[in-house]
Amino acid sequence: QVQLVESGGGLVQAGGSLRISCAASEMIFSINTMRWYRQAPGKQRELVASITSSSRTNYAESVKGRFTISRDNAKNTVYLQMNSLKPEDTAVYYCYVYWGMRDYWGQGTQVTVSS
């Protein structure tokens, strides 16, 4: 049973920055790929970023160059640094990991970007 707890969401003006975090209840991040998804109201959930156990990263085209995913294995935490935020980035952000043949999701953290 893995629990993922997200934090760091909030309100920010367009052009601003936020860093959101996802902490796991078990030491699994060092051997698993971690992912951030987001879902805006009335929109399809989309993959935002991922980071492998070897710290290889991938990003959605819409956030490439603005967002950075990172992990701290000692703290069992994955981060998403979001810069140059746009109103279209407004969504609930979820962290995700596949482990033990199961999907695990965080509860989500709201990010709202005002124009």
Side-chain angles (χ1 to χ4, degrees):
Q1 301 89 341
V2 176
Q3 292 183 341
L4 304 176
V5 180
E6 297 153 338
S7 61
L11 303 172
V12 65
Q13 191 175 7
S17 299
L18 280 176
R19 189 182 74 164
I20 56 177
S21 305
C22 176
S25 61
E26 301 181 28
M27 303 297 287
I28 61 173
F29 286 3
S30 63
I31 58 173
N32 289 82
T33 296
M34 300 299 302
R35 296 177 174 88
W36 283 101
Y37 287 81
R38 69 184 181 187
Q39 188 167 25
K43 302 290 184 63
Q44 183 180 7
R45 182 181 295 178
E46 64 174 336
L47 176 64
V48 177
S50 64
I51 183 167
T52 69
S53 59
S54 60
S55 296
R56 192 184 75 194
T57 59
N58 286 283
Y59 300 93
E61 293 182 20
S62 60
V63 307
K64 204 167 189 176
R66 300 188 297 120
F67 290 11
T68 303
I69 186 171
S70 61
R71 64 196 303 163
D72 187 331
N73 292 332
K75 296 180 178 180
N76 213 25
T77 301
V78 63
Y79 305 94
L80 186 67
Q81 177 68 46
M82 301 178 288
N83 299 325
S84 301
L85 283 162
K86 305 174 181 179
E88 47 264 49
D89 294 319
T90 296
V92 177
Y93 286 71
Y94 301 90
C95 61
Y96 166 91
V97 64
Y98 178 78
W99 190 71
M101 297 187 290
R102 280 186 170 272
D103 301 295
Y104 293 94
W105 295 88
Q107 82 284 358
T109 185
Q110 176 70 48
V111 173
T112 302
V113 184
S114 62
S115 59

